[in-house]
Amino acid sequence: MSWVIAGTWRMALEGVSKGAHMLATGASAGDAVTEAVRAVEDYPLYKSVGLGGLPNGACQVELDGAFMDGDTLDFGAVAAVKDVKNPVSLARRLSTERFNCFLVGAGAEDFARVELFEMCNMLTERAKRAFEIRSRKVRESNLSPYDGHDTVGVVALDSSGSMACATSTSGLFMKRPGRVGDSPLCGSGLYADSRFGAAVATGLGEEIMKGVLSYETVRSMGEGLDPDSASRRSLKSFIDRRIQAGRRVGAISILCCSRDGRVGVATNVEFSFVIARRDSPAKVYLVSPDGDGVKIQEAPVEWLEAYERRIKLPPEEVF
Ligand code: GLY
């Protein structure tokens, strides 16, 4: 069977490439998504995941992450953890527990120490500077502090037909301490069932969790919808429902993969994602909303170069 791995945002490129190499050499979907997400967590210039993630309102980096195995539905997650170098690996470890599979805060950190997970200060000088700049602007210009966060979410199908998915994020920049988004919530930020497919979501967690959008997308694939239609139906029904209730809807993107390896995407904002397959190395695609559907194009070289430059700009020019 042919394998595939896909991840949210351009930041997933190196991780998806690594996961693709693993799948090509017979690794499981679970191992591939975990390593793909770890690669993003480890790179300090990706500002909303792992090391270098943007801090909360108390200038502390609090991280959320989750893992789901589509064969067994085993699920593990951590939320609001500090000082854990790779939340996704801790989440995966927890997915093997019958009880206590979702730990938060100090309890999760204690478990990580007991299990000898690598601990480190996740607040980089760059993220601290970003916090100082943004705090000043929020005070002086009445700007919303809740800006500029993306989640890495990765889905994979391996050559034996197993599926898995994982997420990791530092959540909303300057969020209230203890705030948890959709990313570690089973069915909201991620869901996998190898009988049907896997899905991950990124965007405003407070919205995504209300629509349980990853589960909805996998359920629709289970009803026979192709991945594009499944993700778009989930997104559109949710947006229609919220608008009907007189609510505003924030940014939401869904990335999914069916059990036969087709990848689908739905979004209400500009979004990018990465896919690698047996017959095609990892490539970045740009997506924009277009009516009830999306427009997709492979990222041009100029866009990729501009991205590389942008993530290295001094914090003063970014925040
Ligand atoms: N989607 C990530 C978050 O809202 O925390």
Side-chain angles (χ1 to χ4, degrees):
M1 185 168 201
S2 192
W3 54 263
V4 58
I5 180 165
T8 56
W9 305 108
R10 152 63 186 85
M11 66 177 155
L13 179 60
E14 295 80 8
V16 164
S17 302
K18 187 170 184 185
H21 180 71
M22 292 171 67
L23 290 168
T25 50
S28 69
D31 285 346
V33 298
T34 306
E35 285 307 314
V37 170
R38 279 178 66 102
V40 185
E41 289 176 338
D42 287 344
Y43 189 59
L45 294 181
Y46 294 145
K47 62 184 168 56
S48 50
V49 175
L51 183 66
L54 289 171
N56 65 15
C59 200
Q60 301 159 331
V61 180
E62 283 188 330
L63 302 164
D64 301 339
F67 170 87
M68 187 160 187
D69 177 326
D71 285 355
T72 57
L73 307 189
D74 285 345
F75 172 82
V78 292
V81 288
K82 299 189 199 81
D83 302 333
V84 173
K85 184 155 179 289
N86 292 107
V88 71
S89 294
L90 188 56
R92 187 169 186 196
R93 165 69 186 84
L94 287 167
S95 75
T96 64
E97 295 286 307
R98 174 138 191 259
F99 303 106
N100 307 301
C101 71
F102 190 165
L103 297 179
V104 305
E109 291 150 22
D110 287 347
F111 181 79
R113 285 190 191 93
V114 168
E115 292 279 315
L116 304 179
F117 277 82
E118 190 174 349
M119 309 296 285
C120 75
N121 177 12
M122 302 298 274
L123 180 66
T124 59
E125 280 307 312
R126 183 180 176 83
K128 199 167 151 206
R129 185 75 195 115
F131 174 85
E132 289 161 1
I133 294 166
R134 191 77 188 168
S135 304
R136 198 187 61 238
K137 286 192 180 160
V138 167
R139 267 195 318 273
E140 289 172 358
S141 321
N142 208 19
L143 282 178
S144 166
Y146 304 131
D147 191 17
H149 78 289
D150 304 320
T151 298
V152 66
V154 178
V155 292
L157 166 73
D158 66 29
S159 46
S160 62
S162 296
M163 302 194 79
C165 56
T167 55
S168 186
T169 186
S170 55
L172 284 182
F173 186 17
M174 300 183 76
K175 63 190 177 184
R176 200 168 280 170
R179 178 264 187 193
V180 176
D182 62 299
S183 305
L185 303 183
C186 188
S188 292
L190 73 168
Y191 199 78
D193 184 331
S194 304
R195 296 175 305 166
F196 310 132
V200 288
T202 172
L204 185 57
E206 283 77 357
E207 296 288 346
I208 295 165
M209 65 174 73
K210 294 179 176 85
V212 199
L213 294 177
S214 293
Y215 177 75
E216 270 300 296
T217 300
V218 173
R219 190 181 64 78
S220 293
M221 288 192 279
E223 283 176 4
L225 260 61
D226 64 80
D228 276 331
S229 305
S231 54
R232 286 169 206 169
R233 181 168 84 174
S234 307
L235 183 61
K236 182 170 178 348
S237 332
F238 176 70
I239 291 174
D240 288 351
R241 177 71 182 82
R242 290 285 282 165
I243 289 173
Q244 183 193 41
R247 296 289 186 264
R248 278 190 301 164
V249 182
I252 302 174
S253 306
I254 303 169
L255 179 67
C256 64
C257 177
S258 58
R259 69 186 177 124
D260 59 2
R262 286 172 293 161
V263 169
V265 61
T267 187
N268 64 351
V269 289
E270 304 285 314
F271 173 58
S272 58
F273 68 99
V274 184
I275 310 186
R277 301 180 177 281
R278 190 170 62 182
D279 51 6
S280 168
K283 283 189 191 135
V284 179
Y285 293 87
L286 307 181
V287 194
S288 50
D290 185 27
D292 285 342
V294 296
K295 273 195 211 141
I296 302 185
Q297 65 166 132
E298 193 178 333
V301 174
E302 303 77 54
W303 186 94
L304 293 167
E305 288 173 354
Y307 177 91
E308 290 280 343
R309 283 195 298 276
R310 196 165 61 244
I311 62 169
K312 291 175 187 153
L313 286 173
E316 287 70 14
E317 290 180 40
V318 179
F319 301 94

